Amino acid sequence: MTRTGSMATFGSAVVPVAASRQARLAASASVVGLRRINGLLPPNRVGIAAGRGLIAGVMAAFGPVLPGTRVTPVRSGAVRGEWVRAAGVAQGDKAIYYIHGSGYVVCSARTHRGLASRLSKITGLPVFLIDYRLAPEHRFPAAADDVEAGYRWLLDNGYRAEDLVIGGDSAGGHLALDLLLQNLRGDIAQPAGVFMYSPVMDLTLTLAEVRDRKLADPMAPAPVGRRLIELYTEGQQQDSPRLRLTIPDGAKLPPLLVQSSAGEMLADDARHLHDMATAAGVPCELELWPGRIHVFQALPLLVPEAADALRRTRQFIHAALEQARLQAKAS
C-alpha cells in the first residue's frame, strides 16, 4: 500500500485513508445499539431466532435488493440456493458463486440477496447464492459439504471452473478457502479467482478477541461470535484440518482478493489469510478499508465506501476471468 495525500493505493486501487463521516457515525451507533443487543441474546432457540431476525432486518434496511432483480430458486438433490440476476443481466457462461456469512448460524441466501444483486449489476454476471444448512440444526461439516456440493453442481451443469469466481464473507470466507483446499485434495479444477469480505480464519476467535478488547467491534462482542461458531463446531477438535485451515507451500490456488474494515475485530484474520497465502506462493491482494463495520460491502446505505469496494471487486473478477481465459487458451 502506498499513500497519496488522503488516499491509499493498492496496486491499481485507490482507497480512502479516512472513513467517511457516515461510516464513523454508523460504527459508533452500532456499538451502543446492535453490539449490545447481540451481546444480550441467549444462545438458545429463542435467542438464535431473534438474532436471525435482527440481522435479516439490518441487511434488508441497509442493503436492499435492487429493483428489477430476478431471483430463480434452485432445488437440485442436496443443493439449495438461488440465482440472482440484476436487471438486464443474462444467464451466460460465466458466473459468481457466492457463499454468505453467518457465523454458520444466522444468515441465508435471502439475507444476502441485496449484495448479490449489486455484485450482479456491477459485474454483469449472474450470481449463484448457495443456501447451506445452518447450525445448530446442522453441525460441522454440513455447511462445508453443502458449499462443496454447490460448486460440483455448477461444474456438472455446464460451467467450466475457469469461468467461475467464488465470493464469500465472514464465515463464507472460511468455507471458500475450505472448498479450495478440498478441490486441491480431490484434484478438482479451481475457479478463476476468489474474493472475500471480512473473512474469519481463526474459528476460536482468539485473534478477534484481542482486537475487540482494544476497540469494541460495532456488530457483536467476540465471545458472542465464538458461541455461534461453537454451535457449528461442537464435538470437533480445534486443530481439525477443515477447521484450522492451512495453505500448503506451492499450493495451486487461484488469486485471492481480501477486503476487510481496518478497525473491525476480524482485521487480523484478513491479515493472517494474506500472510498465509503469500507465504505459500498464492497471489493475494489485501485491502484494509477505513472504518469498523463488518462486511460493509453489503450495507451501502449505511457505509458509502461499499460502492468503491464493489468496484474494486469488479476489477478483480474481470481480471481473474481474463487471466484464466488466457491460461486455458495457452494450454
Side-chain angles (χ1 to χ4, degrees):
M1 181 180 75
T2 59
R3 296 182 184 277
T4 54
S6 61
M7 308 295 284
T9 302
F10 296 87
S12 60
V14 178
V15 177
V17 170
S20 65
R21 182 172 181 271
Q22 183 174 333
R24 294 196 304 271
L25 289 173
S28 298
S30 294
V31 168
V32 299
L34 187 60
R35 177 185 170 93
R36 290 189 178 180
I37 294 172
N38 279 328
L40 292 172
L41 293 176
N44 55 28
R45 181 175 298 181
V46 173
I48 290 167
R52 288 172 176 172
L54 176 63
I55 296 301
V58 170
M59 297 286 278
F62 297 108
V65 179
L66 294 177
T69 296
R70 293 188 176 185
V71 178
T72 306
V74 170
R75 301 288 184 271
S76 179
V79 176
R80 298 290 184 272
E82 59 187 42
W83 283 107
V84 178
R85 291 183 291 139
V89 174
Q91 191 76 47
D93 58 1
K94 294 178 173 58
I96 296 169
Y97 177 40
Y98 198 84
I99 308 165
H100 69 79
S102 65
Y104 301 96
V105 173
V106 295
C107 291
S108 66
R110 185 179 182 87
T111 62
H112 281 62
R113 194 177 291 167
L115 175 57
S117 71
R118 285 173 172 78
L119 284 167
S120 179
K121 180 180 180 180
I122 203 166
T123 63
L125 298 171
V127 177
F128 180 63
L129 269 170
I130 186 71
D131 204 12
Y132 58 83
R133 289 169 291 171
L134 298 177
E137 296 89 346
H138 305 281
R139 302 189 189 278
F140 173 85
D145 287 348
D146 289 354
V147 166
E148 187 176 2
Y151 184 69
R152 301 288 182 88
W153 179 81
L154 287 167
L155 297 181
D156 290 342
N157 280 271
Y159 281 95
R160 298 179 301 179
E162 62 265 28
D163 291 331
L164 295 171
V165 173
I166 293 176
D169 65 87
S170 196
H174 189 276
L175 289 167
L177 181 57
D178 175 69
L179 173 59
L180 297 184
L181 296 174
Q182 288 296 99
N183 288 346
L184 198 63
R185 297 181 187 111
D187 197 26
I188 305 298
Q190 300 284 14
V194 179
F195 62 95
M196 302 184 194
Y197 300 146
S198 303
V200 58
M201 287 291 118
D202 173 15
L203 295 190
T204 69
L205 290 195
T206 301
L207 290 173
E209 189 164 23
V210 171
R211 288 187 62 87
D212 192 35
R213 288 193 189 121
K214 296 176 181 176
L215 182 64
D217 189 272
M219 305 303 285
V224 171
R226 181 183 295 115
R227 288 201 299 269
L228 286 179
I229 292 172
E230 287 174 347
L231 292 174
Y232 178 62
T233 62
E234 184 178 338
Q236 303 298 316
Q237 295 297 319
Q238 291 182 355
D239 60 354
S240 164
R242 294 193 70 184
L243 296 178
R244 189 182 297 276
L245 303 179
T246 58
I247 302 176
D249 290 343
K252 300 297 183 183
L253 299 187
L256 310 177
L257 170 66
V258 181
Q259 294 181 344
S260 177
S261 292
E264 69 166 298
M265 67 179 175
L266 289 179
D268 283 345
D269 283 61
R271 290 188 181 96
H272 170 66
L273 172 57
H274 173 261
D275 292 346
M276 181 170 55
T278 54
V282 177
C284 181
E285 296 180 61
L286 172 63
E287 296 180 358
L288 295 176
W289 287 68
R292 296 164 55 198
I293 298 292
H294 181 60
V295 195
F296 68 92
Q297 298 87 345
L299 304 169
L301 300 187
L302 190 66
V303 183
E305 289 86 346
D308 289 334
L310 290 181
R311 281 191 283 270
R312 272 293 297 135
T313 304
R314 175 187 61 197
Q315 293 171 7
F316 171 80
I317 290 171
H318 287 315
L321 289 170
E322 178 61 14
Q323 181 181 352
R325 184 188 71 82
L326 293 174
Q327 290 176 342
K329 185 178 180 180
S331 62

